[in-house]
Amino acid sequence: MDMAENQYFSHTNLKGQSPFDRMEEDNIEFTTAGENLAYGQISSIFAHGGLMNSLGHRENILQEHFRNLGVGVAFNNESQPYYTKKYFSNSWPL
């Protein structure tokens, strides 16, 4: 929602917080975590397809130690979607 409302696209928010900082602030316990972002695709299917066709994003998605997934989408005032995927595990090793 923050990216859509404030018209930016970054893992680091305007307060300088990383995805991990925000997860901790929301009391999400994790030992390992990752985040993928997508912007502007007309559907979540295309957003996910784009991430899967990007080597680095695909490797993030397919990490075997991630056990939890959080997905969000928010729209800016021009109805452009911002997609966020959080992957995490709260025990290591699994």
Side-chain angles (χ1 to χ4, degrees):
M1 181 74 75
D2 182 46
M3 288 188 293
E5 289 177 354
N6 293 296
Q7 300 288 314
Y8 73 96
F9 185 71
S10 176
H11 292 286
T12 303
N13 69 13
L14 298 177
K15 296 177 187 175
Q17 294 174 306
S18 73
F20 316 109
D21 296 329
R22 294 189 302 274
M23 289 174 74
E24 288 176 354
E25 185 175 81
D26 291 336
N27 296 316
I28 298 171
E29 294 182 21
F30 63 93
T31 52
T32 185
E35 178 182 73
N36 282 341
L37 304 175
Y39 164 74
Q41 291 82 357
I42 60 172
S43 80
S44 58
I45 292 169
F46 292 121
H48 180 71
L51 294 170
M52 288 298 286
N53 286 318
S54 165
L55 181 61
H57 293 100
R58 181 183 181 91
E59 288 174 348
N60 205 23
I61 291 166
L62 297 177
Q63 287 189 42
E64 65 182 43
H65 54 272
F66 289 150
R67 295 290 185 251
N68 303 287
L69 171 66
V71 178
V73 62
F75 296 86
N76 65 15
N77 59 4
E78 297 172 9
S79 298
Q80 296 166 320
Y82 289 73
Y83 302 96
T84 304
K85 292 183 175 186
K86 298 262 200 283
Y87 313 92
F88 64 99
S89 292
N90 46 18
S91 61
W92 182 262
L94 297 174

